[in-house]
Amino acid sequence: MYLEDTIAAISTPIGEGGIGIIRISGPDSLPIARSIFRKRLDGGLKSHRFYYGHIIDPDSGSLLDEAMAVFMGSPNSFTREDVLELHCHGGYLVVQRVLALTLRHGARLAEPGEFTKRAFLNGRIDLVQAEAIMDVIRSRSEMSLNLAQHQREGLLSLRLAQVKESLLSSLALLEAYIDFPEEDIDHAAKDHIKENAVASLVMLDELLSGFSEGRIIREGVSVVIAGKPNVGKSSLLNALLREKRAIVTAVPGTTRDLIEEQMTIKGLPVKLLDTAGIRESDDQVEREGVKLSLEKLASADLILFVVDGSSPFDDGDRAVLERLTGFSFMVVKNKVDMDTTPVLPFGAEVPVVSVSTRTGQGLMQLQQVIFDFFIHHGDRDSRDFVAISQVRHRDALDGCRQALGTFMANLERAVNPDLLAIDLRDALAALGEVTGETTADDVLDRIFQQFCIGK
Amino acid sequence: MIFYDKHYDVLVVGGGHAGCEAALAAARMGRETLLLTINLDAIALMSCNPAIGGLAKGHLVKEIDALGGEMAKNIDATGIQFRILNTKKGPAVRASRAQADKQQYRLRMKRVLEGEEHLHLKQGEVTALVLNDDTVTGVDTRAGVRYMAKTVILTTGTFMRGLIHIGLVHYSGGRAGDLPSVGLSDNLRELGFAVGRLKTGTPARLDSRTIDFNKLEPQYGDDEPLPFSFSTERIVTRQVPCHIAYTNERSHEIIRSGLDRSPLYSGIIEGVGPRYCPSIEDKVVRFPEKDRHQTFIEPEGLDTVEVYPSGLSTSLPIDVQWQFYRSIVGLERVEIMRPAYAIEYDYVDPIQLHASLETKRLMNLYHAGQINGTSGYEEAAAQGLVAGINAALRVQGKEPLILGRNDAYIGVMIDDLVTLGSKEPYRMFTSRAEYRLLLREDNADLRLRERGHAVGLVRENEYGKFVRKREMIGEELQRLRREKLLPSQADAAFLEEFNLNGVQNALTYEQLLRRPDITATDLSRIDGKIMETPAAVREQVEIQIKYQGYIDRQLEQVERSKKLENARIPRDMQYAGLPGLSTEVQEKLQAFRPDTLGQASRIPGVTPAAITILSIALKSRSGQ
Ligand SMILES: Cc1cc2nc3c(=O)[nH]c(=O)nc-3n(C[C@H](O)[C@H](O)[C@H](O)COP(=O)(O)OP(=O)(O)OC[C@H]3O[C@@H](n4cnc5c(N)ncnc54)[C@H](O)[C@@H]3O)c2cc1C
């Protein structure tokens, strides 16, 4: 917990077309403005004036967006600290990238409710106002917890966990070497630590390259529609696209090829994939289709599990559900206009959206739920929004990559182990933002598992 | 009950390593202090290995010394082999270790206690606490005597309901040869304390006349033994070596054959043992791929033939012990003088303590040492010192001494204990300290002398010496920042050797010393004055300059955490019904009752969002 560093977050609801505001609060606000905001005339930003200019990444020189900037000098701001607001024009992605840029230039992603907290602690708002937001803060932090539990980032979380695992085992080696000088701890340890670090570095670079140009920008997120045959998967795709492209008939197993469509939901590019109904089949062609569907499931960011809302949840549905375990999915209950509502075997942890592809009922809500799934921005009425998990991840990866780079360089220079350990701990701490903190006991547990230690 | 008519300020129960420091600190702070212990001949007895220090433990000893405790001086006077460990792994993890002459160690400590004006020693076993409401006011002993005191410190070590195991045989005892403490832990349980059970073990003591040392590799101490205490000039005791031996496959076979009569593996022992001090049967079972385990044969003293084989503790039956020790090369004919054993004992979960080591349940009652679920002499002594200081401060009506995680290993340890509790015996490791680079052995005095002096434990002459050292460090740092090497006038060989040939501008000595490859000794080739300062000052200056980047980074982290660490939570804080806190977090906080926001933030399950909410609640409370 830092109380006096500089924090940043997107402070407007994110949507297509509108203006996105990034708010930055703390002592580095002005220096950040100086490094990333270019305006026509020279000279600094005067307090409480709007300036027109461009947001430029100083490292690459590339232009991110045209924007308005306003600086509010302490104490005349919402938090009573120096505050900088960047009003961007571009859609959701541009705002994300600008936020990421501020994070690279000294800001830290704000915790839920942190602007308000600062406002309160600095006497800007009163207790009643502050208490009113307490519940909001809690519900948000619970949401981010759910985020982790829902494996929202499925594969990414897994990879981060691998990186953490490898760093932790390096740290355990190093710490065992430090703390138990009288034990005959394997002197191959150093090579092992290096191998681990190199492997982690490769993994991080891979992950980062996926981020840096923005996988989302290039490809969008991939949403796969799955379900047993004839529950209305293609109808759902069409309804979402508002045009008929997939073949829709009442004969089960019609959609044999995979159908892929691009759409945007509130500025978020979405790649929508319709799959063949998943079931056992004798038909060679259909079997091929099913196989392909299963492969697509594995690479999806999100799966929409479509069930027929007018008939009971049956073995066919159950067979599909089995295939979905381990993936991020939500349930779309179709045909709710036919007003029979079967009981579904899901707990509160799986989101269920009821729609009718025939009447269009629930489709808006479905889009919202999909959007919220990727873009986690908490409560709309509050003044500070939690940025999306994507940025958090990227930030974590960046920090980890940097610390690990320092670690490798120092390892080569044969720097003392006590300092090497600090670099490794920094790398782990950076990851901690998304994978959870590494405690002293985690390290000790690892040491006692790996080494026979004891006098 | 017979009342004793004297009324004490501080009453210490137990004369182990915790009890000694506690009693000395309180008495030296001018408090009338009584130390009650089961056996006055066993004061400061080393129950397990005859050694002080090691990684993180050496750090603790230096900190105890800086604050004005006795342990460092005691080992300096009675140590028979001194070594600095980790000399090549960086200053933060360099640590001192010494073998002790066990009997001399104990006798010297007793002499020091007896020489203290306000300190009274009495033999007696405490069986219950005397209370007035929620405040402790004295103790009752087995002999039916009631002693009254303003504050009480419990340091009962491994003694409460101590149960000794050798194979399938077990009997009550506080340690081999000592009576257990019976009744006190039941009394604590009745008073509402959560009392748990832990286990530890010790190897056999062997007769060195039956060991063939020619077959073992000797390990000598450092050529120049360096003292622990900042006040000790030099070590004058005779120095002797340890010897290294190894178990082999046959030893392991013997161990395996005895497992059916192991109290550990047959489930008789219920207490949790330390993972970092596994018995030899644990090692053999858990790491079957290791074909040998190392042991140091450590002398127990200069006047005895008894030796201590480290790392070979066991609770296997005595016949297995005979075979096992004799399977080791060099020990073929060895005679066991005292068998190895395991011991189970009651401890009181330290989560029930404030950071001052006072219990949250009863006022003026303090717990220190192994009773808090720690293990090790140094850990015990450090807690004893803090408890002694704080009991004395309480009597003086002053605020307690609380060391932060950035101040000392002592601070790290106590914070870990009171916020996380102990589910297995807690031992200090350097990896537990997040500000490890700041908490070095070499700067323990710079970190803590001032605090020790403020409470009145560091004597004026020692303090004066420290102040002079601190000044010299400051002056030398300034000089090195000021004086420069002019490449044009410099010694060509020096420039050549350190790749400085291309350098145009004058470099300050500080800049030179910052380079990883240039040591103070190297610098002395061009800077005649650097060798004029005392070695301890030179060492400080060199470390501070060389590691400045990293040190500054850690200092920055400390600075950032300060606000949380300094935000005190009132003792009567009500967590139930605080808006925004989940029920789970409310219950956790209600149960732990953290003293500061920093502490609260380290309780597992208390989220950053919960801390935000708490800080708002605190602020609004104080605003009212
Ligand atoms: C068998 C054994 C093996 C050990 N192995 C290790 C090890 O491998 N590594 C390690 O680090 N540490 C080990 N230790 C622990 C180490 O000895 C202790 O951590 C350290 O001595 C604790 O110090 P203390 O002051 O808390 O308690 P102790 O040194 O145990 O002293 C307790 C004192 O309290 C007195 N006392 C107890 N109850 C009462 C009462 N009711 N009334 C009056 N006096 C009382 C006792 O007489 C004794 O003087 C071992 C201890 C034992 C016994």
Side-chain angles (χ1 to χ4, degrees), chain A residues 19-39:
Chain A
I19 287 175
I21 300 177
I22 289 142
R23 176 182 287 147
I24 302 157
S25 178
D28 282 338
S29 298
L30 215 44
I32 290 174
R34 255 184 247 123
S35 20
I36 68 169
F37 183 72
R38 298 285 149 76
K39 59 188 172 54

Side-chain angles (χ1 to χ4, degrees), chain A residues 254-274:
Chain A
T254 326
T255 313
R256 287 184 180 160
D257 301 321
L258 299 186
I259 294 180
E260 184 179 316
E261 292 295 345
Q262 294 287 344
M263 65 181 291
T264 60
I265 300 179
K266 298 171 175 246
L268 172 73
V270 175
K271 192 171 63 178
L272 209 53
L273 252 99
D274 185 13

Side-chain angles (χ1 to χ4, degrees), chain B residues 63-268:
Chain B
E63 291 177 355
I64 292 170
D65 186 64
L67 286 168
E70 193 61 30
M71 182 171 250
K73 290 174 180 153
N74 212 52
I75 183 65
D76 285 347
T78 60
I80 53 178
Q81 188 203 87
F82 287 78
R83 287 201 306 139
I84 304 290
L85 308 176
N86 273 355
T87 48
K88 300 214 165 56
K89 297 182 195 166
V93 298
R94 211 171 283 158
S96 315
R97 184 184 186 284
Q99 295 296 141
D101 184 314
K102 182 162 123 183
Q103 300 305 328
Q104 292 305 325
Y105 186 91
R106 150 182 94 78
L107 289 169
R108 181 189 178 278
M109 187 62 93
K110 181 148 184 268
R111 269 200 311 279
V112 171
L113 295 180
E114 288 171 353
E116 207 53 59
E117 184 186 350
H118 300 286
L119 182 50
H120 311 268
L121 305 178
K122 290 185 193 301
Q123 188 157 297
E125 183 200 341
V126 171
T127 49
L129 297 175
V130 181
L131 303 185
N132 179 3
D133 278 341
D134 286 343
T135 304
V136 70
T137 55
V139 300
D140 287 339
T141 66
R142 175 151 323 276
V145 184
R146 175 165 294 183
Y147 295 95
M148 303 300 285
K150 294 191 182 122
T151 58
V152 171
I153 305 174
L154 295 184
T155 69
T156 54
T158 53
F159 283 67
M160 289 196 297
R161 285 208 311 129
L163 190 63
I164 290 174
H165 297 265
I166 304 176
L168 300 180
V169 179
H170 50 259
Y171 56 91
S172 294
R175 139 179 84 204
D178 266 314
L179 292 173
S181 154
V182 182
L184 182 56
S185 55
D186 292 332
N187 180 238
L188 290 171
R189 216 176 268 120
E190 278 160 24
L191 292 173
F193 285 100
V195 177
R197 206 135 169 87
L198 294 174
K199 167 236 139 174
T200 187
T202 194
R205 303 305 190 272
L206 309 174
D207 184 339
S208 60
R209 293 171 301 177
T210 56
I211 294 176
D212 184 353
F213 286 100
N214 292 325
K215 293 189 184 161
L216 307 183
E217 179 195 331
Q219 188 207 38
Y220 295 94
D222 293 342
D223 290 339
E224 187 201 348
L226 292 176
F228 278 85
S229 173
F230 291 101
S231 309
T232 306
E233 293 293 342
R234 76 173 60 79
I235 303 299
V236 292
T237 41
R238 183 155 70 85
Q239 303 290 295
V240 295
C242 295
H243 288 82
I244 299 172
Y246 297 94
T247 63
N248 51 48
E249 277 302 345
R250 200 166 68 81
S251 326
H252 303 171
E253 203 36 60
I254 295 166
I255 294 289
R256 277 189 282 267
S257 75
L259 287 181
D260 57 332
R261 288 184 294 147
S262 148
L264 206 60
Y265 287 91
S266 56
I268 296 176

Side-chain angles (χ1 to χ4, degrees), chain A residues 455, chain B residues 13-19 36-39 42 45 47-48 57 124-126 155-159 174-175 181 184 200-202 277 341 343 368-370 375-377 380:
Chain A
K455 299 201 38 175
Chain B
V13 180
H17 308 278
L36 270 178
T37 189
I38 296 178
N39 179 359
L45 189 60
S47 318
C48 198
K57 289 168 168 274
E125 183 200 341
V126 171
T155 69
T156 54
T158 53
F159 283 67
R175 139 179 84 204
S181 154
L184 182 56
T200 187
T202 194
C277 255
Y341 64 96
I343 183 163
Q370 196 135 354
S375 95
Y377 314 135

Side-chain angles (χ1 to χ4, degrees), chain B residues 231-483:
Chain B
S231 309
T232 306
E233 293 293 342
R234 76 173 60 79
I235 303 299
V236 292
T237 41
R238 183 155 70 85
Q239 303 290 295
V240 295
C242 295
H243 288 82
I244 299 172
Y246 297 94
T247 63
N248 51 48
E249 277 302 345
R250 200 166 68 81
S251 326
H252 303 171
E253 203 36 60
I254 295 166
I255 294 289
R256 277 189 282 267
S257 75
L259 287 181
D260 57 332
R261 288 184 294 147
S262 148
L264 206 60
Y265 287 91
S266 56
I268 296 176
I269 289 181
E270 48 180 80
V272 184
R275 279 177 302 170
Y276 42 83
C277 255
S279 59
I280 184 67
E281 51 268 35
D282 263 341
K283 295 183 187 179
V284 169
V285 170
R286 288 192 43 224
F287 296 92
E289 69 282 2
K290 283 203 84 162
D291 52 11
R292 65 175 201 179
H293 295 278
Q294 193 182 43
T295 170
F296 291 89
I297 310 282
E298 307 176 5
E300 291 247 306
L302 295 179
D303 304 322
T304 176
V305 296
E306 283 189 85
V307 292
Y308 171 101
S310 78
L312 301 184
S313 82
T314 175
S315 54
L316 290 172
I318 187 73
D319 54 326
V320 182
Q321 294 189 23
W322 288 326
Q323 287 183 56
F324 165 67
Y325 288 112
R326 286 175 189 161
S327 71
I328 296 170
V329 173
L331 276 62
E332 293 84 355
R333 297 181 307 114
V334 80
E335 289 294 339
I336 291 179
M337 294 176 71
R338 311 182 198 211
Y341 64 96
I343 183 163
E344 285 184 283
Y345 54 94
D346 283 350
Y347 80 107
V348 184
D349 195 332
I351 213 138
Q352 303 163 95
L353 301 177
H354 293 292
S356 61
L357 296 180
E358 185 180 20
T359 66
K360 292 174 178 171
R361 189 167 288 277
L362 297 179
M363 276 257 285
N364 297 346
L365 176 67
Y366 297 78
H367 289 177
Q370 196 135 354
I371 188 175
N372 286 337
T374 61
S375 95
Y377 314 135
E378 304 81 356
E379 286 84 348
Q383 293 169 64
L385 178 64
V386 169
I389 290 174
N390 284 333
L393 287 172
R394 167 61 53 80
V395 176
Q396 294 169 347
K398 294 185 184 156
E399 285 295 303
L401 170 81
I402 290 170
L403 300 173
R405 299 182 70 91
N406 57 308
D407 293 323
Y409 275 92
I410 301 178
V412 174
M413 170 173 66
I414 293 179
D415 184 67
D416 280 349
L417 290 174
V418 305
T419 51
L420 305 174
S422 49
K423 270 137 218 94
E424 67 168 336
Y426 179 99
R427 191 198 128 168
M428 201 66 227
F429 299 105
T430 70
S431 67
R432 294 195 196 267
E434 62 272 47
Y435 306 122
R436 181 161 62 191
L437 204 57
L438 304 180
L439 306 184
R440 307 185 305 273
E441 271 198 0
D442 63 75
N443 70 352
D445 55 346
L446 293 170
R447 292 184 276 124
L448 299 170
R449 267 289 193 234
E450 207 63 76
R451 313 283 288 264
H453 183 247
V455 299
L457 273 186
V458 175
R459 291 182 217 123
E460 287 310 324
N461 63 335
E462 291 179 325
Y463 182 66
K465 215 171 114 184
F466 159 71
V467 171
R468 270 197 306 287
K469 174 177 168 190
R470 194 171 51 187
E471 283 166 5
M472 285 167 85
I473 294 168
E475 286 160 12
E476 182 67 355
L477 280 171
Q478 288 206 338
R479 187 184 72 80
L480 294 174
R481 226 165 267 155
R482 206 172 48 231
E483 298 195 8

Side-chain angles (χ1 to χ4, degrees), chain A residues 1-194:
Chain A
M1 284 289 297
Y2 315 136
L3 293 178
E4 276 175 340
D5 51 358
T6 300
I7 53 173
I10 298 169
S11 70
T12 41
I14 311 150
E16 198 165 6
I19 287 175
I21 300 177
I22 289 142
R23 176 182 287 147
I24 302 157
S25 178
D28 282 338
S29 298
L30 215 44
I32 290 174
R34 255 184 247 123
S35 20
I36 68 169
F37 183 72
R38 298 285 149 76
K39 59 188 172 54
R40 193 110 55 88
L41 294 172
D42 285 346
L45 301 179
K46 288 212 184 78
S47 191
H48 294 82
R49 293 271 176 82
F50 265 96
Y51 293 91
Y52 169 81
H54 294 97
I55 301 210
I56 302 217
D57 182 342
D59 296 331
S60 63
S62 64
L63 170 72
L64 268 69
D65 198 12
E66 53 174 3
M68 302 291 292
V70 56
F71 170 72
M72 287 156 279
S74 168
N76 298 316
S77 71
F78 173 58
T79 56
R80 294 222 158 139
E81 302 175 329
D82 279 357
V83 167
L84 174 73
E85 281 184 2
L86 299 171
H87 297 235
C88 301
H89 300 156
Y92 147 74
L93 283 164
V94 170
V95 177
Q96 292 303 323
R97 287 167 65 190
V98 175
L99 174 62
L101 188 64
T102 65
L103 299 183
R104 279 207 299 282
H105 284 82
R108 163 175 70 74
L109 201 56
E111 302 281 347
E114 209 171 353
F115 287 96
T116 318
K117 174 181 147 192
R118 290 184 179 200
F120 171 77
L121 291 179
N122 293 326
R124 178 69 165 66
I125 56 173
D126 66 16
L127 179 62
V128 182
Q129 287 169 298
E131 285 199 333
I133 63 150
M134 284 180 176
D135 271 323
V136 178
I137 295 175
R138 178 179 65 130
S139 70
R140 284 224 216 101
S141 72
E142 278 173 3
M143 266 160 67
S144 31
L145 262 178
N146 287 344
L147 178 112
Q149 283 157 3
H150 280 196
Q151 305 176 298
R152 193 163 295 210
E153 297 291 331
L155 200 57
L156 181 58
S157 299
L158 199 74
R159 301 286 281 286
L160 287 177
Q162 283 169 353
V163 175
K164 175 177 173 176
E165 176 60 32
S166 135
L167 294 182
L168 184 58
S169 99
S170 295
L171 185 61
L173 273 169
L174 196 60
E175 293 291 0
Y177 177 64
I178 287 174
D179 257 338
F180 303 97
E182 304 205 313
E183 308 285 340
D184 40 352
I185 288 186
D186 197 0
H187 282 284
K190 195 177 160 195
D191 293 341
H192 197 79
I193 288 173
K194 195 166 153 192

